[in-house]
Amino acid sequence: MYLPTVLVGLSGLLLQPVIAIDVDWTSDSSIKSAASTIAYGLVKYYTGNNTGDVPGNLPDPYYWWEAGAMFGVLIDYWAFTGDDSYNDITFQALQHQVGDDDDFMPSNQTKSEGNDDQGFWALAAMTAAEQNFTNPASDQPQWLALVQAVYNEYVNRWEPDTCGGGMRWQIYTFNNGYNYKNSVSNGCFFNVAARLARYTANATYADWASKIFEWEQGVGFMDSNYNVMDGAGNAGTENCTQINAAQFTYNAGLFLYGSAVMYNYTDGDDTWKTRVQGQVESISSVFFENGIMWEPSCEKTSAKCNTDQQSFKGHLSRWMALSAMLAPFTYDTIMPLLESTAKAAAEQCSGPASTDFKGVDGTACGFSWLQNSTFDGEYGVGEQMNALQVVMSPLADTATPPYTADSGGSSVGNANAGSSDDDKIDQPRAITTADKAGAGILTALVLGGLVGGTWFVWADGVMG
């Protein structure tokens, strides 16, 4: 096998034909070299630093949320490996996308932006605060304050009138999905609240984290076995009673990591320990096949996973590694799963260079890690980002835990940050029955498209 010799950072890349990524999993330097190769391939998809392009945006077909997710990954990549090659473009992107109100609602996104979209940019800023990423100048938006702005806006969007609480998927009435409450939007809220509680030691954030988690359980989006469902419609009389039972890795990851943060924040509270343990058991059962992570709601279906879904697994990988760091009692369950998955993911990074993949030839990362070294022909931002996160996960053993304000975190906050949604755009006409019917049709289509992908999950009896 002809293998790449890669040092940490771009300067060490040996750009020559190869047919896979080889890793000595007993060597941190070898793992960092592999991660460097994968990160290089990931960033080659990014065009926001090109003349005339918009910093922070990925090209089609990638949506804005995935760009925010990518920059969060690159911050942890720097923290885990010490490679600062991509810090400048990450800093530029995060600052460019803050918007006029310093809340990750830029004018070019606001009208179509959902709570989950905004959430992934907030999660990246939270990671910047926790990892002591380069702080902006004092007259620029600060990482912690940006997260607090999103949190405050989330609080204002909490809606007890339907489903007993929770946020809607979409922010504005005219967007499809407005009449749908889902785990990813509320999972972002939970994750942000938990991490703000730990970082600031402010109990108000912790109270909201508990409230969101308990609502998720009470409404039935998280069942008694800690399986996390997608969501449900809230229009008319639906009231979140017809739950879409599809399970996705990133939803499970949002709640697991937030719960591990709360376990850490509460110094090992038994309630949070039980919740973390239950989620680890659920994740181990639902999202791993023979020790390798997969996406059960779409990976083996004829429709396959769409562009968004092709990026979900990596987030669960990274959040599992961080959970093992903050809730050490999970380590012996989590890390063997991540190690076996990392090996499979590295083997799958064997695709050729092309007009689309401009990384090191022979290191394009495929999607299905179940295929091991047989390249599945799927490649893109999601696949590359997935592989990066799981391949670098063993480095959590020697990484510094996320900082807090008391342990060395230096980001400056603003507890009153944020603004009113009504002030951002001209308000549309009042929502009508026809609008509700249209959103209901969307929900039906979402449900219909997912049912085939979730049937075998029900048949296997892992839904609880």
Side-chain angles (χ1 to χ4, degrees):
M1 182 178 290
Y2 189 54
L3 304 170
T5 301
V6 188
L7 301 177
V8 176
L10 293 181
S11 62
L13 286 173
L14 184 63
L15 301 179
Q16 55 186 351
V18 295
I19 60 173
I21 292 176
D22 188 37
V23 188
D24 175 0
W25 297 100
T26 66
S27 166
D28 282 0
S29 62
S30 180
I31 295 170
K32 290 178 182 180
S33 293
S36 175
T37 303
I38 298 168
Y40 177 76
L42 170 62
V43 174
K44 292 295 284 184
Y45 285 104
Y46 179 58
T47 59
N49 58 335
N50 293 346
T51 301
D53 211 327
V54 178
N57 282 356
L58 284 165
D60 289 338
Y62 306 105
Y63 290 112
W64 183 69
W65 81 270
E66 193 165 346
M70 182 183 77
F71 292 114
V73 171
L74 289 175
I75 294 170
D76 270 337
Y77 166 74
W78 159 70
F80 278 37
T81 67
D83 180 7
D84 64 0
S85 299
Y86 313 113
N87 285 14
D88 287 347
I89 62 169
T90 297
F91 182 94
Q92 179 195 44
L94 289 172
Q95 286 289 301
H96 192 83
Q97 294 293 332
V98 299
D100 292 339
D101 296 319
D102 296 345
D103 58 357
F104 292 116
M105 293 191 72
S107 58
N108 64 325
Q109 299 294 333
T110 298
K111 286 188 177 181
S112 61
E113 187 173 336
N115 281 305
D116 53 342
D117 304 317
Q118 185 184 25
F120 271 86
W121 284 87
L123 295 175
M126 191 73 238
T127 299
E130 293 168 333
Q131 299 292 14
N132 260 348
F133 190 64
T134 305
N135 284 315
S138 60
D139 62 342
Q140 298 299 310
Q142 305 300 303
W143 308 128
L144 180 60
L146 286 164
V147 183
Q148 289 170 312
V150 176
Y151 164 87
N152 287 335
E153 291 173 8
Y154 278 173
V155 169
N156 289 332
R157 294 175 196 151
W158 186 263
E159 186 190 72
D161 294 341
T162 64
C163 310
M167 290 196 305
R168 295 172 182 262
W169 179 13
Q170 299 298 321
I171 298 170
Y172 292 108
T173 58
F174 49 77
N175 284 325
N176 287 334
Y178 179 74
N179 289 320
Y180 192 73
K181 293 189 175 182
N182 58 5
S183 288
V184 64
S185 296
N186 289 285
C188 286
F189 189 6
F190 169 66
N191 195 286
V192 162
R195 292 163 70 179
L196 283 174
R198 180 178 177 273
Y199 191 91
T200 67
N202 186 326
T204 300
Y205 298 127
D207 291 343
W208 265 99
S210 295
K211 179 176 181 176
I212 300 160
F213 191 93
E214 289 162 9
W215 174 83
E216 179 85 2
Q217 290 181 307
V219 78
F221 291 177
M222 180 184 289
D223 68 16
S224 60
N225 291 322
Y226 296 94
N227 299 313
V228 180
M229 315 303 172
D230 188 74
N234 69 322
T237 60
E238 288 183 71
N239 204 38
C240 294
T241 56
Q242 301 177 38
I243 295 175
N244 173 1
Q247 295 188 65
F248 293 104
T249 47
Y250 77 153
N251 284 337
L254 282 167
F255 281 94
L256 172 65
Y257 183 39
S259 298
V261 170
M262 289 301 293
Y263 170 84
N264 185 273
Y265 165 76
T266 59
D267 294 323
D269 176 78
D270 285 343
T271 296
W272 285 109
K273 182 175 184 179
T274 298
R275 291 168 174 173
V276 171
Q277 183 62 42
Q279 289 175 82
V280 169
E281 291 172 0
S282 167
I283 287 167
S284 301
S285 172
V286 175
F287 298 115
F288 286 85
E289 182 175 289
N290 298 321
I292 298 174
M293 188 184 294
W294 69 306
E295 196 67 62
S297 286
C298 58
E299 187 165 327
K300 292 185 180 180
T301 66
S302 58
K304 298 185 178 181
C305 299
N306 63 31
T307 299
D308 284 337
Q309 294 162 352
Q310 288 168 355
S311 71
F312 291 173
K313 291 186 297 187
H315 302 305
L316 175 58
S317 302
R318 182 165 53 107
W319 290 330
M320 286 178 72
L322 289 164
S323 294
M325 189 183 296
L326 295 183
F329 73 91
T330 67
Y331 181 94
D332 288 344
T333 301
I334 285 177
M335 291 313 295
L337 291 171
L338 292 180
E339 288 166 3
S340 55
T341 298
K343 292 174 183 178
E347 289 181 4
Q348 184 61 206
C349 292
S350 57
S354 66
T355 55
D356 294 316
F357 178 71
K358 298 180 175 63
V360 179
D361 187 30
T363 66
C365 298
F367 173 66
S368 181
W369 299 331
L370 299 176
Q371 305 301 318
N372 295 104
S373 60
T374 303
F375 182 60
D376 69 356
E378 302 286 341
Y379 54 89
V381 170
E383 289 84 350
Q384 209 72 16
M385 189 160 50
N386 288 343
L388 175 60
Q389 291 175 88
V390 74
V391 165
M392 72 183 190
S393 64
L395 299 174
D397 282 352
T398 55
T400 301
Y403 289 100
T404 69
D406 290 334
S407 68
S410 58
S411 188
V412 177
N414 176 6
N416 297 313
S419 66
S420 168
D421 295 331
D422 294 342
D423 297 336
K424 296 181 185 299
I425 61 174
D426 292 334
Q427 288 302 290
R429 58 180 171 75
I431 191 167
T432 67
T433 301
D435 295 324
K436 293 178 180 178
I441 290 169
L442 171 79
T443 299
L445 290 172
V446 170
L447 288 167
L450 287 167
V451 69
T454 58
W455 164 248
F456 73 92
V457 180
W458 288 318
D460 285 346
V462 296
M463 299 295 290

